[in-house]
């Protein structure tokens, strides 16, 4: 049984549903990401775990104990807020000490654990500063230390990186993941950024409009998306409507696309194909035409039109001498892909 | 955006004129209070503190000052906690018509001081009749009236602070194990401090300065300073009054400056 | 955060008490003004508009009302443009000590009304001597004094609007070919409208209600309504006064409600 | 001669320099991006072109005319602001009409051109709305229409996409680029997002601390960065300090790295190598060790340590059956790359 368990957790506001029967188990030491566009219910779910929002139905269990009706202060969670939520009138050390004070930890032990937590986030030299005297990244680390110092049973992160700039975000991401693994923290993180979720979490929960669409590791979600929403939200994806016909897939535009139909759902109505799985070869006799070329440095994106269906193709940018390098809008090409690279999905 | 030089000059002139207009009469009084001569002439013939001595010697000013101080302190001490509680209730509870209540808070601005004073006087007269107990001309009555002055200021200033307050800090405290009362004492209250300090300052000033609400409620021997000044005015006008006025201005300005060191008033008010 | 039910009840009680305390005297006056009986008894024996008729019949109230209206309109018409110009100058020019000037704007709060009134009176007496021309007891003198009341309000409200104004809209206008004056007329001014409307409203109310600054400057036959009420009070207290007060309250409240329809006051003030 | 020319354009504030002698020519119909981290002076440069900031030195020429001292309203530029800067009290149509009014265009022609501009951004059905009644993306398009309707000689865009969410950003990017090309607009765009700059602009100007570091097409910057800053800012890059030794590059850690030293600068002190240009092969005898594997869907990132030097390697994620797919932390591998893929740069 997981260290954090959600059972059919729901939240309704009047007639609108924010979260609909979410089931989830997070194992001891595991990091799970709630991923989805804004308004999908991921933050509401996190706040129900922390106790800030009372569920309309379902249960929350922490370490096997039902805490569904427990107030926030009686739940053993450590939360890091998007806005950091530091106490502006307390020093860094006082901020970090607050949770220990609430737990009536003696002064000597408290001071020791505060300094230890600050060393963990490399801020022990700034213990006496006020939050407003720190940079965004430093405030973020104080918030981490403050949540970690009390050894919470569950560690909750609400979009912890969204207020940092791009460069810092990569660093803090690795730092949080390293801390989480080193301390073996049971962690639930909320994010709208798929790269963040893919790089940090052991498992991902993709949510949309209050419902869980799919739960799995990064690879499971990317390689075997359960539905068009997951296919489009985790990574980029060509989605073509049509139907199975013989051994192939007949697009609405008329083109017959190669696919492996074994095990496809009977109601398959969408063909999902990752842009990097498509091979593209110059061929004057090819019936596909390039409609756009975008050079992105490490890779190049091609929009290719074939009998009324436009597919996005991304290839590693070829070295300078390569004939591929000269491909331009209007050139004729041939597209090909492994039948196994295709996923067939029910309609959205 | 850039302004051409002549326009900039005009701008500076406008600032200067506005401030001069606002401050000239006050400056004049302060000047009058330290010159010997009672009637008009310029430049006046000599500096003196005689008018200050004279003012203190007159019992009505000395006593009025002490009464005003007493009333203002009491009214602030009672009104600010009451107002803070009301502001918290107003901003934090999920009651309907919050917007209407917020506008009602502007109400005291809509009720002319004389009207409020009259209203209160009539109210007291009737209350005395029912309670069979004096209210007008008592310290309790005066303080109660002034509490009414301080509450709207407090509610407004504390409400503004509350609206600007980051509620996630309170959630963070709860998440760290603080019960609601501890959250309030350790997090909410300290974060509201600027608003509450400003509220106390303005409550004190409003009470200390008030004439209109006070006029009908003071009794013999329990006059506030503004009422004492008005009475003196009806009798004669001389630099003694300027001296009293100067003391009052300096007191209030001093209070504002001290407060401003701790709380940036122009940001809070 | 959730509040347990008993605490929520306490909260509602606090709101209720605070508002009741603020509004009770006013409500009392309004009630008194429509009942027949002059002295205290409850429930009063009958409704009447007699006191309103009585109030209008008394010349001092009718004339006072008209004078107050005249003075308030003139003071607003002069003070609001002046104050707006000063606010623009203050916020837009790159002068040093902007913060200090902003705090000085709180000055009028620091100067007690009676003191300001006395100061102005003394200033006028001396100015009359130099200019050899009447100032006290003239309409011009009264309006000038009230302009002093309206400027700080205007500067403060318009400054707040200016600080919240998105300056890139002005840059966009300039970029589209608008010269500075056109930018001001077509973009800046319309965006400041809520602040200016609120400033005009509060300027009017401040002037219309003012007693302290006015008391010494009115002349015979040119009394404002608050002064007329005070004089009447010294003579007798009866529901006529309550009727006058009620009219005044309704007038100001009506003005605020109308303004509130166009400009959300609780957001601007 | 370009349609927009900057000559040694500088801006100093007291003793600090915001922009230092920027030279740039933008040809008629060309789109140039000013790219750099925040505070690099790119926005200051744009605002000097628009006339909102007076230069401390240098000249701005529009269509061959010196406008350095001209006020904003006398310059023929059309600017789109980051905050959109719509007039909140005017309807969409009135916003768009404003520039035409200032140019004293007659009512009939004005109405016609306004509707035409709104059709261009597909908002003609919302002409009577107020800006606050529109979504962020729609406001953005009104701002575009307002700037375009006056046919400006130079089109200026200040981080036009930064207030849009990820999905919308891609759409609006393509829309702006299509409009710019269709109307042949001479355009200067400011952005801190390299992908935005790479996808939209004909040429890029990389700025740092007020100076231009390099000017060129996306390919020139990516394949031939002039210095370590450009190498690291445009795309990701491994930068290894060391010195040329014999035919190779001796890293400070001691490893000898393969490179092509012909044409290398004499003071070469940094080896720049794109992570996607490194081949990685499992080899039990290899002396390189994997220290981290991050699955990102379309690609996988490997941190590989070899004799004290850690290199980032990105490879397209191999198909499920591939042995590469099983590579894990601690595995021995061999790294290799074309000598031509390496750039040698002077020290930062």
């Amino acid at each position: 049984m997981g260290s954090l368990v959600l059972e059919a957790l729901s939240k309704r506001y009047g007639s609108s549903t924010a979260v609909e029967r979410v089931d989830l188990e997070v194992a001891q030491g595991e990091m799970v990401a709630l991923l989805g566009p804004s308004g999908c219910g991921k933050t509401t779910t996190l706040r129900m775990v922390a106790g800030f929002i009372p569920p309309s139905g379902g249960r929350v269990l922490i370490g096997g104990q039902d805490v569904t009706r427990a107030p926030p202060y009686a739940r053993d969670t450590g939360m890091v807020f998007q806005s950091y939520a530091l106490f502006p009138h307390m020093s860094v050390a006082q901020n970090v000490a607050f949770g220990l004070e609430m737990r009536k930890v003696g002064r000597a032990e408290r001071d020791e654990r505060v300094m230890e937590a600050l060393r963990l986030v490399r801020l022990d030299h700034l213990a006496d500063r006020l939050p407003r005297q720190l940079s965004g990244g430093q405030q973020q680390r104080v918030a981490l230390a403050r949540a970690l110092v009390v050894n919470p049973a569950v560690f909750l992160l609400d979009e912890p990186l969204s207020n940092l700039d791009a460069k810092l975000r990569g660093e803090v991401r690795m730092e949080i993941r390293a801390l989480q693994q080193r301390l073996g923290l049971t962690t639930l993180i909320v994010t709208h950024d798929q790269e963040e979720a893919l790089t940090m979490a052991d498992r991902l929960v993709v949510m949309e409009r209050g419902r869980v669409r799919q739960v799995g590791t990064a690879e499971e979600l990317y390689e075997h998306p359960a539905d068009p929403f997951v296919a489009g939200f985790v990574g980029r994806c060509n989605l073509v409507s049509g139907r199975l016909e013989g051994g192939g897939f007949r697009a609405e535009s008329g083109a017959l696309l190669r696919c492996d139909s074994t095990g496809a759902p009977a109601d398959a109505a969408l063909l999902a194909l990752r842009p990097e799985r498509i091979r593209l070869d110059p061929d004057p006799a090819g019936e596909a035409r390039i409609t756009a070329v975008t050079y992105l440095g490490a890779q190049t994106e091609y929009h290719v039109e074939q009998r009324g269906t436009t597919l996005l193709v991304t290839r590693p940018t070829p070295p300078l001498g390569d004939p591929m390098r000269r491909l331009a809008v209007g050139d004729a090409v041939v597209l090909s892909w492994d039948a196994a690279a295709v996923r067939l999905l029910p309609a959205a | 955006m850039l302004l051409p030089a002549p326009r900039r000059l005009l701008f500076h002139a406008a600032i200067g004129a506005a401030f001069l207009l606002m401050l000239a009469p006050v400056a004049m009084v302060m000047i009058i209070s330290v010159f010997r001569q009672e009637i008009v002439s310029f430049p006046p013939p000599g500096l003196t503190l005689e008018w200050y001595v004279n003012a203190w010697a007159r019992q009505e000013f000395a006593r009025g000052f002490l009464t005003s101080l007493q009333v203002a302190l009491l009214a602030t001490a009672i009104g600010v906690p009451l107002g803070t509680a009301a502001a918290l209730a107003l901003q934090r509870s999920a009651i309907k018509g919050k917007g209407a209540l917020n506008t009602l808070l502007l109400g005291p601005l809509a009720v002319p001081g004389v009207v409020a004073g009259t209203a209160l006087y009539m109210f007291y007269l009737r209350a005395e009749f029912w309670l069979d107990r004096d209210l007008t001309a008592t310290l309790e009555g005066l303080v109660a009236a002034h509490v009414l002055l301080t509450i709207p200021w407090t509610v407004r200033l504390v409400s503004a602070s509350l609206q600007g307050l980051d509620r996630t800090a309170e959630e963070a405290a709860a998440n760290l194990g603080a019960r609601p009362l501890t959250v309030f004492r350790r997090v909410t209250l300290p974060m509201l401090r600027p608003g509450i300090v400003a509220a106390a300052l303005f409550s004190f000033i409003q009470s200390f300065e008030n004439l209109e609400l006070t006029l009908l409620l003071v009794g013999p021997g329990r006059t506030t300073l503004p009422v004492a000044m008005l009475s003196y005015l009806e009798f004669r006008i001389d630099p003694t009054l300027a001296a009293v006025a100067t003391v009052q201005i300096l007191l209030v300005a001093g209070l504002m400056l001290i407060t401003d060191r701790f709380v940036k008033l122009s940001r809070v008010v």
Side-chain angles (χ1 to χ4, degrees), chain B residues 124-145:
Chain B
Y124 275 15
L125 287 181
R126 270 154 188 76
E128 280 176 353
F129 180 81
W130 287 324
L131 300 174
D132 195 18
R133 161 170 209 290
D134 269 0
L135 279 176
T136 55
T138 65
L139 183 66
E140 295 85 338
L142 202 52
V143 169

Side-chain angles (χ1 to χ4, degrees), chain A residues 38 165 167 174 194-195 198-199 218-220 222-224 232 236 276-277 294-299 301 303 314 316-320 325 338:
Chain A
S38 60
D165 65 30
K167 209 171 181 69
M174 286 174 62
Q194 50 138 327
E195 191 178 325
L198 289 173
T199 51
E219 301 196 22
E220 284 165 4
Y222 190 80
E223 317 266 354
H224 303 289
R236 302 171 73 183
E276 78 278 8
R277 291 297 181 86
T294 311
Y295 174 86
L296 286 171
Q299 16 184 49
E301 288 181 8
H303 284 84
T314 59
T317 300
L320 275 172
R325 193 64 179 258
D338 285 346

Side-chain angles (χ1 to χ4, degrees), chain B:
Chain B
M1 214 180 305
L2 287 177
L3 283 175
R7 175 124 12 136
R8 212 175 309 165
L9 219 97
L10 215 78
F11 260 28
H12 284 148
I15 302 186
F19 276 95
L20 204 72
L21 230 59
M22 274 165 53
L23 298 177
V26 172
M28 174 65 92
V29 166
M30 295 174 101
I31 292 166
I32 292 169
S33 77
V34 291
F35 284 108
R36 183 169 308 277
Q37 208 163 14
E38 200 170 322
I39 48 148
V40 188
S41 90
F42 203 86
L47 290 173
T48 179
L49 286 177
E50 178 192 324
W51 307 115
Y52 288 85
V53 175
N54 197 23
W56 189 252
R58 296 195 64 99
Q59 284 221 335
E60 71 255 47
F61 290 136
R63 268 208 217 133
F65 180 83
L66 293 176
T67 306
S68 280
L69 203 63
Q70 192 182 16
V71 170
L73 286 174
L74 283 170
T76 304
I78 298 168
V80 170
L82 265 180
T84 303
L88 277 164
L90 196 59
Q91 298 300 324
R92 286 298 167 87
S93 63
I95 47 168
K96 278 171 196 161
K98 217 185 264 194
L101 285 178
N102 263 328
T103 304
L104 256 184
L105 279 178
L106 297 172
L109 279 172
V111 181
V114 187
V115 171
T118 314
L120 215 56
Y121 185 61
M122 290 178 165
F123 182 69
Y124 275 15
L125 287 181
R126 270 154 188 76
E128 280 176 353
F129 180 81
W130 287 324
L131 300 174
D132 195 18
R133 161 170 209 290
D134 269 0
L135 279 176
T136 55
T138 65
L139 183 66
E140 295 85 338
L142 202 52
V143 169
H146 280 217
V147 166
L148 292 188
L149 274 176
T150 63
I151 287 179
W153 274 95
T154 306
V155 176
R156 208 140 13 113
L157 287 169
V158 175
S159 287
S161 285
L162 268 170
Q163 279 162 0
L165 188 142
D166 176 18
R167 298 210 58 180
T168 57
E170 297 177 306
E171 290 183 344
N175 179 258
L176 290 165
R179 285 158 183 278
L181 261 181
T182 311
V183 173
F184 182 72
R185 203 168 42 80
R186 295 286 309 270
V187 177
T188 315
L189 214 48
M191 286 172 81
L192 287 182
R193 209 179 53 102
I196 294 175
V197 168
L201 173 73
F202 282 96
S203 292
F204 180 87
I205 295 176
Q206 285 292 312
S207 166
F208 193 81
E209 291 179 356
N210 186 267
L211 172 68
E212 292 156 333
L213 210 56
T214 316
L215 209 45
L216 299 171
L217 303 177
V218 293
R222 180 154 281 144
T223 325
T224 62
L225 191 54
V227 178
M229 286 178 71
L230 189 66
S231 312
Y232 187 84
L233 266 173
E234 283 173 8
F235 157 66
R236 65 179 300 206
I237 293 183
D238 70 11
T240 308
L241 218 50
V244 176
T246 302
V247 169
Q248 217 172 333
I249 292 169
L250 292 179
L251 174 82
V252 173
L255 265 177
M256 286 183 78
L257 282 179
I258 292 170
T259 313
D260 201 46
R261 294 208 53 173
F262 298 102
V263 179
K264 276 277 149 272
L265 287 180
S266 49
R267 269 190 231 147
V268 181
V269 181

Side-chain angles (χ1 to χ4, degrees), chain A residues 189-242:
Chain A
I189 179 173
V190 155
T191 178
H192 68 277
D193 179 340
Q194 50 138 327
E195 191 178 325
E196 206 168 296
L198 289 173
T199 51
M200 293 176 81
D202 296 305
R203 283 191 303 147
L204 289 79
V205 179
V206 180
M207 294 183 72
E208 194 214 1
R209 278 187 273 142
R211 290 167 189 276
V212 171
R213 305 304 299 239
Q214 193 171 358
V215 181
T217 64
E219 301 196 22
E220 284 165 4
L221 295 181
Y222 190 80
E223 317 266 354
H224 303 289
D227 65 24
F229 177 79
V230 175
F233 194 78
V234 180
R236 302 171 73 183
C237 202
N238 289 295
L239 290 171
V240 182
S241 337

Side-chain angles (χ1 to χ4, degrees), chain A residues 33-279:
Chain A
L34 298 177
L35 176 66
S38 60
C40 73
K42 55 190 193 302
T43 298
T44 305
T45 305
L46 191 81
R47 291 173 65 79
M48 285 194 281
V49 174
F52 298 135
I53 296 179
S56 311
R59 302 201 301 161
V60 176
L61 289 86
I62 293 179
Q65 263 204 304
D66 187 340
V67 296
T68 315
R69 303 263 155 258
Y73 57 83
R75 300 183 183 203
D76 195 10
T77 67
M79 179 148 168
V80 175
F81 293 81
Q82 185 172 5
S83 61
Y84 315 142
L86 298 180
F87 308 132
H89 55 292
M90 298 185 197
S91 72
V92 165
Q94 285 168 337
N95 263 279
V96 177
F98 190 86
L100 297 174
E101 259 183 85
M102 293 304 119
R103 282 163 178 74
K104 312 239 183 298
V105 173
R107 185 163 194 92
E109 185 192 341
R110 202 164 72 205
D111 289 352
E112 198 177 306
R113 283 172 66 181
V114 166
M115 284 317 285
E116 191 188 321
L118 285 176
R119 264 195 299 274
L120 205 66
V121 296
R122 291 173 288 115
L123 281 179
D124 40 321
H125 59 297
L126 298 178
D128 297 325
R129 296 276 181 88
L130 286 174
R132 65 165 165 277
Q133 299 169 311
L134 303 183
S135 71
Q138 290 170 332
Q139 290 186 30
Q140 171 67 280
R141 271 143 62 195
V142 176
L144 281 172
R146 186 177 66 176
L148 291 178
V149 75
V150 297
N151 291 326
V154 178
F155 190 38
L156 303 173
L157 299 161
D158 183 13
E159 304 262 9
L161 308 178
S162 61
N163 284 328
L164 301 176
D165 65 30
K167 209 171 181 69
L168 212 53
R169 205 174 299 171
E171 278 172 34
V172 177
R173 197 155 74 187
M174 286 174 62
E175 207 163 310
I176 290 179
R177 177 57 165 165
L179 269 176
Q180 184 267 330
Q181 290 187 319
R182 181 140 54 101
L183 304 177
L185 295 164
T186 306
T187 305
L188 196 59
I189 179 173
V190 155
T191 178
H192 68 277
D193 179 340
Q194 50 138 327
E195 191 178 325
E196 206 168 296
L198 289 173
T199 51
M200 293 176 81
D202 296 305
R203 283 191 303 147
L204 289 79
V205 179
V206 180
M207 294 183 72
E208 194 214 1
R209 278 187 273 142
R211 290 167 189 276
V212 171
R213 305 304 299 239
Q214 193 171 358
V215 181
T217 64
E219 301 196 22
E220 284 165 4
L221 295 181
Y222 190 80
E223 317 266 354
H224 303 289
D227 65 24
F229 177 79
V230 175
F233 194 78
V234 180
R236 302 171 73 183
C237 202
N238 289 295
L239 290 171
V240 182
S241 337
R243 63 198 150 70
L244 280 174
E245 198 181 282
F249 185 87
R250 178 71 67 187
E252 276 174 0
S253 62
L256 188 68
L257 303 172
R258 180 178 150 85
C259 72
D260 178 4
S261 60
T262 47
D267 59 344
L270 276 172
L271 175 143
L273 182 54
R274 299 287 178 192
E276 78 278 8
R277 291 297 181 86
I278 306 178
R279 274 189 306 277

